[in-house]
Amino acid sequence: MAESYGIALVYVATDDPHAISELQEALASLVSLNAVSYKSTGSQGIKHIKVVGQRLDRQFMAANTEECAKLANEGTRTLNYDARMGCEWIEDKLKRAASSDKLAQSLGVIIDIEILARADAFVGTFTSALNRVAFQLSYARKGYVKPYMSLDIAWCWAGFHLIQVPWGTYGC
């Protein structure tokens, strides 16, 4: 996608505190490998891709999120925080956060949505409500669907009907 659309800057919106550095390393390897093959084929290829994200304490948002995803993928309803489940979504975390954290983290989520909506292309997961909101906002503003790639399911309006996915069913 980067080569097809001339993308040189990637914004990462994630609750994984290691995602940005991991993607930078993976892309550096890819760019190095591609540089060798492009020399032999004469293609311009991908010369450099810069990866950026917010300077935000992602550890706050990362805690217990994987457990939520695991439970949701198994078909367990996780919409309301239950300490027995060991799962907490963003809104649950913000409820229990200190006032200063609530503001910083809430603004962080809004900034992620805004930057994703303004981007020229999208790679992400459509099982994420945040990603679906950003994608819809982009379409509403631009009037067309920008280039995209979902890492899990096809685009859908979440909540209307169940679809079969590799891990069971998903409310789409």
Side-chain angles (χ1 to χ4, degrees), residues 11-12 43 46 48 121 131 134 146 162 167-168:
Y11 177 80
V12 179
S43 170
I46 305 167
H48 179 71
N131 287 339
K146 63 186 171 187
L162 294 177
W167 58 85

Side-chain angles (χ1 to χ4, degrees), residues 1-38:
M1 186 182 287
E3 184 178 356
S4 297
Y5 296 101
I7 296 169
L9 179 67
V10 174
Y11 177 80
V12 179
T14 179
D15 53 9
D16 180 347
H18 308 291
I20 293 173
S21 60
E22 289 171 3
L23 183 58
Q24 284 172 325
E25 290 174 21
L27 287 174
S29 300
L30 180 65
V31 169
S32 296
L33 289 173
N34 284 339
V36 172
S37 66
Y38 290 137

Side-chain angles (χ1 to χ4, degrees), residues 70-90:
K70 181 179 172 226
L71 288 167
N73 290 341
E74 292 170 354
T76 304
R77 288 283 188 203
T78 60
L79 297 179
N80 296 308
Y81 173 65
D82 184 340
R84 293 168 294 165
M85 289 185 190
C87 153
E88 238 180 338
W89 292 111
I90 292 170

